[in-house]
């Protein structure tokens, strides 16, 4: 390992751990009621919506259809694995079978 | 020794994170192969996966890696891609705040997008989200380190995971978790705004900034909505 590689990996590790620990440490100074508390309560759902939206909406018809199937499965079964299996199989079928038709 | 309730929560967390771990293993293998092509040694792959443990930033690092790696560019890119973790771990005080500071702090290294989301969904159901998050985090950590090193050692010959729809597995997991976080119609507008801002940002801003921008926009709107309702 070159000194540059060791330094780069150590630096990447440091900043990444810094943001992980930093959010937790900073949260001690965030009030437990009012606007800030409501903001933290809304953060998980909004972050998840932000994570999935580009993949679903800019992917194409196969991904969009698979996303609908995934959500329906999740609502009906409340089962993470079932929803993931349905979505992944739908995308696999869409990508491998549709081009043949 | 953990009591019965706690071991049940740990087992539950492992069970919930198992499908995610399968996808992570597939991506770890691919990243390991690509890392070899980018010129990383086995030791560098093992060190980066164990110490950084953040897939998206490690994929970005491969774009920058060189025989003499550009130290500051790599660090800046890792910071930019991983800054979203600040918003995630800021929500964890109710889960880990009761622990001694040192115990809570080492656990933060294990927080990943998927396990964080699974843990928060468990909290929303009134279950032990902390145990699920840490048990799942350990599972993903071991999976990530072993699969990236395996990919690096095996080298080429591995197939493109997008062919099998495995890239969609992550989106499917996040979608299902989003369903479980639904608390009522009040969530609709913040989530639509979060998604809309994220899509717009993903088209113009590089990297993972769209998650931060969309998440901030949606959560601030949600907070504004719910505090406005409470006000007289």
């Amino acid at each position: 390992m070159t000194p540059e590689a060791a330094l780069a990996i150590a630096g990447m590790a440091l900043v990444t751990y810094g943001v992980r620990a930093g959010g937790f440490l900073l949260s001690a100074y965030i009030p437990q009621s009012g606007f800030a508390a409501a903001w933290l309560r809304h953060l998980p759902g909004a972050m998840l919506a932000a994570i999935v939206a580009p993949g679903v909406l800019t992917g194409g018809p196969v991904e969009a259809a698979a996303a609908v199937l995934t959500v329906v499965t999740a609502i009906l079964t409340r089962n993470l694995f079932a929803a993931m299996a349905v979505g992944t199989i739908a995308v696999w079928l869409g990508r491998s079978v549709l081009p043949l038709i | 020794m953990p009591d019965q309730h706690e071991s049940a929560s740990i087992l539950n967390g492992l069970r919930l994170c198992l499908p995610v771990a399968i996808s992570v293993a597939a991506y770890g293998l691919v990243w390991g192969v690509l890392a070899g092509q980018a010129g990383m040694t086995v030791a560098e792959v093992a060190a980066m996966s164990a110490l950084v443990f953040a897939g998206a930033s490690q994929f970005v690092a491969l774009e920058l890696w060189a025989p003499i790696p550009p130290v500051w560019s790599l660090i800046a890119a890792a910071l930019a891609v991983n800054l979203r973790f600040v918003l995630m771990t800021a929500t964890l005080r109710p889960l880990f705040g009761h622990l001694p500071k040192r115990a809570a702090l080492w656990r933060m290294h294990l927080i990943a997008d998927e396990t964080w989301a699974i843990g928060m969904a468990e909290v929303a159901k009134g279950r032990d989200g902390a145990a699920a998050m840490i048990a799942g985090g350990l599972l993903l950590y071991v999976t990530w380190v072993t699969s990236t090193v395996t990919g690096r050692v095996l080298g080429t010959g591995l197939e493109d995971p997008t062919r099998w729809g495995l890239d969609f597995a992550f989106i499917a997991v996040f979608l299902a978790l989003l369903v479980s976080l639904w608390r009522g119609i009040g969530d609709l507008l913040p989530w639509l705004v979060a998604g809309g801002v994220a899509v717009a940002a993903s088209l113009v801003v590089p990297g993972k900034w769209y998650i931060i921008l969309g998440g901030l926009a949606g959560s601030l709107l949600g907070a504004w909505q719910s505090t406005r309702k409470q006000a007289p």
Side-chain angles (χ1 to χ4, degrees):
Chain A
M1 205 183 296
T2 63
E4 284 85 1
L7 263 177
I9 292 171
M12 289 173 66
L14 216 67
V15 294
T16 304
Y17 182 71
V19 289
R20 279 184 169 123
F24 181 74
L25 291 173
L26 283 176
S27 67
Y29 303 98
I30 297 174
Q32 297 299 303
S33 64
F35 187 85
W39 172 63
L40 283 186
R41 253 199 335 273
H42 281 280
L43 206 43
M47 294 274 283
L48 277 180
I51 288 173
V52 294
V56 171
L57 295 175
T58 62
V62 170
E63 286 76 11
V68 172
L69 285 174
T70 305
V71 168
V72 170
T73 310
I75 292 171
L76 292 180
T77 66
R78 298 272 153 193
N79 184 315
L80 194 64
F81 185 74
M84 189 188 102
V86 166
T88 310
I89 290 169
V91 165
W92 171 66
L93 281 177
R95 284 181 191 164
S96 53
V97 177
L98 280 187
L100 304 176
I101 301 171
Chain B
M1 194 165 142
D3 60 42
Q4 209 171 3
H5 171 73
E6 197 177 7
S7 18
S9 299
I10 290 169
L11 276 179
N12 181 49
L14 291 175
R15 188 179 58 79
L16 285 171
C17 294
L18 193 61
V20 177
I22 295 167
S23 305
V24 166
Y27 271 85
L29 282 170
V30 172
W31 186 82
V33 171
L34 294 175
Q37 289 166 1
M40 287 182 74
T41 65
V42 176
E44 286 162 355
V45 164
M48 193 186 278
S49 288
L51 296 173
V52 179
F53 181 50
S57 63
Q58 290 182 232
F59 271 100
V60 171
L62 294 186
E63 304 287 324
L64 300 167
W65 201 263
I68 295 177
V71 176
W72 291 110
S73 304
L74 281 160
I75 294 173
L79 180 62
V81 174
N82 293 332
L83 204 56
R84 68 184 189 284
F85 286 129
V86 167
L87 297 183
M88 293 183 186
T89 56
T91 63
L92 297 182
R93 176 110 350 220
L95 279 72
F96 300 106
H98 64 283
L99 291 173
K101 203 170 198 174
R102 185 179 299 207
L105 280 179
W106 78 252
R107 283 170 168 78
M108 291 305 118
H109 184 55
L110 297 172
I111 302 301
D113 305 62
E114 299 87 358
T115 48
W116 172 78
I118 286 169
M120 294 316 271
E122 286 294 283
V123 171
K125 288 177 194 155
R127 299 203 201 117
D128 188 351
M133 216 177 276
I134 295 312
L138 277 171
L139 174 67
L140 251 56
Y141 186 78
V142 172
T143 305
W144 181 247
V145 175
T146 46
S147 63
T148 51
V149 170
T150 305
R152 172 64 187 80
V153 173
L154 291 182
T156 50
L158 288 165
E159 276 195 84
D160 180 9
T162 58
R163 224 195 113 214
W164 302 101
L166 277 171
D167 56 318
F168 193 81
F170 290 97
I171 294 178
V173 165
F174 288 129
L175 275 174
L177 289 168
L178 198 55
V179 168
S180 64
L181 285 183
W182 177 262
R183 278 167 311 190
I185 197 75
D187 284 326
L188 185 63
L189 192 61
W191 290 6
L192 285 177
V193 167
V197 170
V199 169
S202 71
L203 299 174
V204 286
V205 190
K208 291 262 176 183
W209 285 99
Y210 68 90
I211 298 176
I212 295 175
L213 295 172
L216 278 179
S219 56
L220 288 172
L221 175 68
W224 180 73
Q225 275 184 336
S226 47
T227 48
R228 196 188 44 149
K229 259 182 272 168
Q230 287 157 11

